[in-house]
Amino acid sequence: MAQHWTELIPIDRYAVAAGGLLHEYDRKIMTLLYQPLIGSTCLSLYMTLWAEVEENRIWSESSTHHYLMTTMGLGLKEIYEARAKLEGMGLLKVFIKKEDDIRSFIYELQPPLSPQQFFLDGMLNIYLFKKVGKTQYARLKRFFSDKAVHSQEGYTEATKSFQDVYMSGHQGLTQYEEHDLQVDAVFMGRDESDGIQISTDTFDFDLLMAGLNESLVPKNALTKKVKLAISNLAFLYDIDVLQMKNVMISALTENNDINIEELRKSARDWYQFQHNDQLPSLLDRTQPAAQRTAQSAPASKEDELILYLETTSPRQLLKDLSGGAEPSKGDLKIIEDVLFQQKLLPAVVNVLIQYVMLKTDMKLTKSYVEKIASHWARKQVKRAKDAMELAKNEHRQYLEWAGGNKTSKRTSKKQPIRSELLPDWFDNDSGDVKTANEGQDEEMEKKKKKMQEALKKLHSGGE
């Protein structure tokens, strides 16, 4: 994500437009279905923008972002990040116009999905289930549903048609005149909202189609609708081309079409089989392309490591470091809080994980993680390399936070200096942060060797 001050400043103006009339029922949908996914700040921004549009209107007056900051009691950075999340969730469209050095925005609010669309979405409902749990998810489904209309079995429709009730008369016919709308006016209404859609460019359909057996899966079965579903499922469950072929085969119908509901079920079953009946969460995110520094063909060991850190999600890193075992719920919760509360980018979180686990005997200590994460957030660290450099420069301070200086001056002289485990990237320019007695503690050296072997496997692609 770009630095907020390059994209937005307090004097920039904005106006709010509604992409269709918003109804009172939408407030319940936003609060109960979307808020668990986007957080309270995003919900507050959506509701504040909505409040600026007068009742039964679709445009607001123009305001500055400083007014929005004052109204919400938030900084511009928080507003910018909340805005981006609303955009990604399909709840806001942003339009910008630049005239000289002046920028103005249009924030077009998009209606949320209907409950039926949401619970059948195939992505958002999965994330919601993962977030709130089975019991609360079932409660929400009950809240947004009701008993079906009484069965019509045995009944015959007796509704009269228009022509049965009305007739067209000719007496006193008045001349009809067409009245055009005023210039730039439109009828107020509401189109059906689109669900979340991952771009089909993110999935290699050429490779998929090249590997398909025409007699088994006809290429014409890959309709536009099926391709959209495949893109979403590949993103949601991290399914590659080879695995997707098997998922597709299990969703084929007798007519050689692909049943999208069966495709979703097969993809979900595959993921849960691979991950001990767990469902994916929104923290499986890798470093945004704009914040990456590594080249696709790394020239050194450090470049290889940075490439790995920038193209791997924190959850996957934890899994790799534990030899393929799934991370505990407690560890995932710590990382999720860092990603969404401290708003650190994935590659930076990966550096943090590696540093902390080596400093705390391969454990993620919540207070220690949060303290360093808070420091990095204030420093606005965005890249893996910057996080590495900051960790080197602040190493002594982080030792104190870890409890390294608890002994008093009177007793510390009699105590042996314990060697410190450090990541591989500390070997470069780490200077005086290394201890003089490195190698004395045999047990710690074994742990370091084990971590280095694990990282070596990661560099070589896990072979």
Side-chain angles (χ1 to χ4, degrees):
M1 189 181 293
Q3 303 286 8
H4 71 279
W5 59 82
T6 65
E7 302 292 323
L8 200 62
I9 58 176
I11 62 171
D12 288 338
R13 302 194 70 84
Y14 73 93
V16 185
L21 288 176
L22 296 169
H23 309 307
E24 187 61 33
Y25 195 55
D26 293 325
R27 298 185 192 275
K28 292 184 179 181
I29 296 172
M30 287 294 303
T31 302
L32 299 178
L33 300 185
Y34 280 89
Q35 184 175 212
L37 301 181
I38 63 178
S40 58
T41 302
C42 289
L43 177 67
S44 177
L45 177 59
Y46 188 93
M47 294 300 183
T48 301
L49 295 176
W50 183 356
E52 292 192 37
V53 182
E54 293 183 23
E55 188 176 0
N56 296 326
R57 297 286 95 193
I58 57 176
W59 275 99
S60 76
E61 297 292 331
S62 176
S63 305
T64 66
H65 283 81
H66 183 268
Y67 166 80
L68 194 58
M69 294 163 63
T70 303
T71 301
M72 297 185 66
L74 294 174
L76 197 62
K77 182 174 184 288
E78 288 78 13
I79 290 175
Y80 175 73
E81 291 173 347
R83 191 190 84 179
K85 289 183 179 180
L86 290 176
E87 293 172 47
M89 201 59 77
L91 295 169
L92 184 69
K93 289 183 178 180
V94 178
F95 303 90
I96 182 173
K97 181 172 69 173
K98 297 181 180 179
E99 293 179 345
D100 298 327
D101 294 332
I102 301 174
R103 286 180 300 199
S104 57
F105 295 85
I106 294 175
Y107 293 154
E108 185 178 279
L109 292 174
Q110 303 301 303
L113 298 178
S114 68
Q116 181 179 8
Q117 287 177 302
F118 191 99
F119 284 107
L120 298 178
D121 179 70
M123 282 187 66
L124 295 181
N125 57 326
I126 298 295
Y127 287 133
L128 181 66
F129 184 96
K130 174 71 175 180
K131 189 71 176 180
V132 304
K134 181 179 179 180
T135 302
Q136 180 65 6
Y137 183 82
R139 177 179 175 274
L140 288 170
K141 287 193 78 171
R142 290 195 302 270
F143 180 86
F144 285 103
S145 61
D146 204 350
K147 293 181 180 180
V149 177
H150 193 280
S151 173
Q152 297 174 354
E153 185 178 351
Y155 289 78
T156 302
E157 184 173 1
T159 309
K160 293 181 172 56
S161 65
F162 179 86
Q163 64 269 25
D164 290 337
V165 180
Y166 300 99
M167 62 178 294
S168 183
H170 302 283
Q171 291 111 353
L173 183 63
T174 317
Q175 185 72 30
Y176 173 75
E177 295 182 5
E178 188 70 55
H179 292 274
D180 295 331
L181 291 173
Q182 296 180 357
V183 178
D184 296 331
V186 295
F187 285 112
M188 290 188 291
R190 172 162 164 172
D191 296 327
E192 188 173 280
S193 299
D194 296 325
I196 300 297
Q197 180 56 54
I198 305 300
S199 171
T200 54
D201 295 338
T202 61
F203 189 84
D204 194 343
F205 282 100
D206 291 336
L207 181 60
L208 178 67
M209 296 176 74
L212 283 176
N213 186 330
E214 182 70 23
S215 61
L216 190 61
V217 181
K219 293 182 179 179
N220 59 12
L222 288 173
T223 63
K224 181 179 179 181
K225 193 172 181 180
V226 169
K227 283 186 174 182
L228 292 175
I230 288 174
S231 297
N232 280 7
L233 292 171
F235 173 85
L236 176 64
Y237 296 118
D238 194 22
I239 305 177
D240 62 23
V241 173
L242 182 62
Q243 293 157 343
M244 184 58 75
K245 285 166 58 178
N246 297 327
V247 171
M248 288 171 55
I249 291 172
S250 63
L252 275 175
T253 67
E254 296 178 354
N255 299 323
N256 286 330
D257 295 324
I258 294 176
N259 185 309
I260 292 179
E261 286 305 313
E262 282 299 317
L263 188 71
R264 289 177 176 174
K265 184 178 183 298
S266 298
R268 184 170 64 249
D269 290 345
W270 173 87
Y271 184 92
Q272 291 186 302
F273 178 77
Q274 296 289 329
H275 299 87
N276 300 320
D277 287 333
Q278 296 296 309
L279 288 172
S281 62
L282 283 171
L283 70 88
D284 283 320
R285 189 166 67 99
T286 58
Q287 185 79 346
Q291 300 292 348
R292 295 182 184 180
T293 57
Q295 302 298 319
S296 56
S300 66
K301 288 287 186 182
E302 184 173 338
D303 289 341
E304 286 182 23
L305 178 58
I306 291 176
L307 178 62
Y308 172 76
L309 294 173
E310 290 181 345
T311 56
T312 304
S313 70
R315 185 194 65 81
Q316 186 62 44
L317 177 65
L318 287 171
K319 183 177 177 181
D320 290 343
L321 289 176
S322 59
E326 281 295 321
S328 69
K329 290 183 179 180
D331 287 351
L332 289 177
K333 183 65 169 66
I334 292 171
I335 298 306
E336 184 177 7
D337 288 345
V338 170
L339 280 168
F340 295 107
Q341 301 300 326
Q342 303 291 350
K343 299 180 175 62
L344 292 183
L345 291 176
V348 177
V349 173
N350 286 341
V351 176
L352 179 61
I353 291 171
Q354 192 185 78
Y355 179 82
V356 170
M357 289 189 76
L358 282 169
K359 296 300 302 166
T360 55
D361 195 18
M362 298 298 287
K363 300 173 185 175
L364 278 182
T365 307
K366 188 173 186 292
S367 59
Y368 192 38
V369 170
E370 290 179 346
K371 198 159 189 176
I372 297 177
S374 178
H375 183 226
W376 289 6
R378 289 194 299 272
K379 288 283 190 178
Q380 298 181 349
V381 180
K382 301 296 182 185
R383 295 179 172 87
K385 194 172 184 67
D386 297 337
M388 291 175 178
E389 288 299 320
L390 186 58
K392 293 177 188 179
N393 296 336
E394 300 292 337
H395 180 58
R396 289 190 181 278
Q397 177 65 66
Y398 296 164
L399 279 180
E400 293 181 10
W401 292 350
N405 285 358
K406 286 182 179 178
T407 56
S408 66
K409 292 181 180 180
R410 182 172 55 85
T411 59
S412 61
K413 292 181 181 180
K414 299 180 182 179
Q415 306 238 354
I417 299 175
R418 182 169 180 171
S419 61
E420 295 294 335
L421 265 177
L422 299 171
D424 286 351
W425 38 268
F426 252 85
D427 292 340
N428 301 322
D429 303 320
S430 55
D432 62 349
V433 297
K434 292 185 178 180
T435 64
N437 293 334
E438 183 175 352
Q440 290 185 356
D441 189 331
E442 185 178 349
E443 182 184 353
M444 295 292 279
E445 280 299 307
K446 286 181 180 178
K447 291 176 181 176
K448 180 176 181 180
K449 185 177 180 181
K450 183 179 178 181
M451 174 65 91
Q452 288 172 335
E453 289 174 355
L455 289 174
K456 187 176 180 181
K457 289 182 180 179
L458 297 179
H459 299 336
S460 61
E463 297 178 358

